Amino acid sequence: MNIPEAGYQEDMDIRFLFIKGIPPRDVKDVRQIWPSGATRSTNYGEISTNQQFEPRTYKLDATAKYFKVRSSISGHAQEGEFTPVNHQITVNPGNNTTNWTVWKACGANPIYPQGGTWVYNRAGWCPGAAVDVKEIDITPMVSPGQNVTFDYGIPNNPGAGNVN
């Protein structure tokens, strides 16, 4: 493959650090609640009417002690990419809701220098940087072996944007 010296590509040096030791927990199960945004794009209206990211119910492992939900949201290529947007996950709708703002300050991006608009803050991502991961400990909200319904939403529906 012939990569041009200029344009949309940047030189990178990647290093992986491996940490020895005992993990804090033994993972018993991992499930993807909704399909990855890499496979589709949807708009905010479809989310708020449950046409996309609709409520889903799963039975929790009866032998597990701790439970969490991990979310990684990138506003890349959406209308409002440069606008902070609130997101939420509700566990057993009507009971427990966690809200957070998807926003990332890009000026201190460790991949420096970059061409283009890399210095501008964005919804959940910065060029050359990892997308933020939101971890929600739902252990106090659920019981082992319980059927749990998860509902994803955007409480301040910003309008005609896309979520990727």
Side-chain angles (χ1 to χ4, degrees):
M1 174 195 253
N2 192 4
I3 300 175
E5 292 183 26
Y8 297 109
Q9 300 295 320
E10 307 289 340
D11 290 334
M12 289 188 218
D13 180 13
I14 299 174
R15 298 177 190 171
F16 295 94
L17 302 176
F18 295 92
I19 301 169
K20 291 183 179 182
I22 299 170
R25 298 179 181 158
D26 289 328
V27 176
K28 294 183 175 270
D29 190 15
V30 175
R31 297 183 203 171
Q32 185 167 328
I33 300 173
W34 296 281
S36 166
T39 61
R40 69 173 177 197
S41 179
T42 187
N43 65 51
Y44 295 127
E46 291 173 331
I47 294 171
S48 49
T49 59
N50 287 327
Q51 295 173 48
Q52 299 290 337
F53 299 97
E54 67 284 352
R56 300 237 174 137
T57 302
Y58 294 93
K59 184 174 181 78
L60 299 180
D61 186 311
T63 64
K65 293 180 183 175
Y66 306 100
F67 304 90
K68 73 177 172 182
V69 173
R70 291 176 50 144
S71 175
S72 150
I73 299 169
S74 165
H76 186 253
Q78 72 178 15
E79 289 179 50
E81 176 177 347
F82 299 98
T83 304
V85 176
N86 291 326
H87 293 252
Q88 70 183 26
I89 290 182
T90 302
V91 178
N92 290 326
N95 294 325
N96 304 287
T97 300
T98 300
N99 294 289
W100 71 99
T101 302
V102 175
W103 190 241
K104 195 164 177 87
C106 296
N109 192 334
I111 309 298
Y112 174 84
Q114 294 186 48
T117 61
W118 69 274
V119 296
Y120 299 114
N121 301 338
R122 290 178 166 78
W125 76 285
C126 296
V131 174
D132 289 339
V133 176
K134 173 72 174 172
E135 293 194 0
I136 305 163
D137 180 5
I138 64 168
T139 303
M141 305 174 196
V142 299
S143 299
Q146 173 186 11
N147 283 328
V148 177
T149 301
F150 300 95
D151 190 11
Y152 172 80
I154 301 174
N156 66 334
N157 186 341
N162 289 323
V163 177
N164 292 319

